Amino acid sequence: MSDDDQKINLLSREGDVYEVALAVARMSKLVDESVDDEDTSAISDIPLPNVKGIVLAKVIEYCQHYQTEPMTEITTPLPSVKLEEIVQQWYCDFVKVENVMLFELVTAANYMNIQPLLDLTCLAVSVMIKGKSADEIRKIFNISNDFSPEEEAQVREENKWCEDAANQQP
């Protein structure tokens, strides 16, 4: 029986069961290493306790699409700051989600070890924060500022060369 015909059950944190073609599920190195190649007769259950059901559904959607239209490899340095000029439109649309979902997709891709999805979601985050001030980035990531105004001024002064270098780039 081929991987395309064989099914596997992925179990979300909440216990939701997603039956997926083994070929699709094997995009995850975590799943791939968990599947027993010897016993292919029974449907295996792979628990993914770190992945919410709604996020797992998106991960599966990505992996299924990737099987029919592999994403253009993301190379560095990035050729552009526009997602549309780096990957296909479907992948651009895929990461146009609420920030919370995007960050959960990054976490799920990392946990499940799906490198192309991790690359895409990290690219989307980097495009989102490019050119933003420290305060704007704190707001995006919901990070509180632990510095007093005096400490922040001191850090800015000590690292002024970073801002100068960034402002001189074309």
Side-chain angles (χ1 to χ4, degrees):
M1 188 180 279
S2 76
D3 281 359
D4 290 333
D5 299 330
Q6 192 176 353
K7 302 289 184 190
I8 191 167
N9 289 330
L10 302 179
L11 284 73
S12 72
R13 173 188 302 169
E14 301 87 353
D16 300 334
V17 178
Y18 296 85
E19 187 176 275
V20 181
L22 183 57
V24 170
R26 282 188 186 272
M27 279 193 67
S28 163
K29 288 198 172 49
L30 174 72
V31 171
D32 189 43
E33 292 167 0
S34 300
V35 173
D36 182 5
D37 286 328
E38 302 302 316
D39 182 19
T40 57
S41 58
I43 294 180
S44 298
D45 288 348
I46 306 292
L48 300 168
N50 294 357
V51 185
K52 292 180 186 174
I54 191 166
V55 177
L56 183 55
K58 288 285 287 179
V59 169
I60 293 167
E61 177 188 357
Y62 173 90
C63 292
Q64 288 172 331
H65 185 83
Y66 193 95
Q67 295 296 306
T68 58
E69 181 191 14
M71 184 178 73
T72 304
E73 185 178 351
I74 298 169
T75 59
T76 55
L78 295 174
S80 173
V81 294
K82 295 180 182 176
L83 282 175
E84 294 81 4
E85 295 176 5
I86 301 172
V87 295
Q88 299 95 314
Q89 189 61 49
W90 186 92
Y91 294 101
C92 296
D93 295 339
F94 179 82
V95 292
K96 288 181 182 171
V97 293
E98 297 285 326
N99 287 355
V100 172
M101 173 60 86
L102 181 59
F103 300 149
E104 288 183 0
L105 283 169
V106 170
T107 303
N110 186 49
Y111 171 70
M112 294 177 69
N113 199 355
I114 306 173
Q115 195 61 50
L117 179 56
L118 183 61
D119 291 346
L120 176 64
T121 53
C122 288
L123 172 65
V125 171
S126 70
V127 167
M128 179 191 343
I129 65 173
K130 183 159 178 61
K132 300 276 194 285
S133 70
D135 287 334
E136 291 170 314
I137 293 171
R138 276 193 212 96
K139 186 175 180 182
I140 290 169
F141 290 104
N142 198 22
I143 300 170
S144 60
N145 186 355
D146 294 343
F147 291 121
S148 69
E150 297 79 22
E151 290 172 323
E152 189 168 343
Q154 180 183 353
V155 169
R156 285 188 190 280
E157 185 59 36
E158 290 171 356
N159 296 290
K160 190 172 174 39
W161 62 271
C162 292
E163 289 182 26
D164 293 343
N167 291 335
Q168 291 176 358
Q169 289 182 347

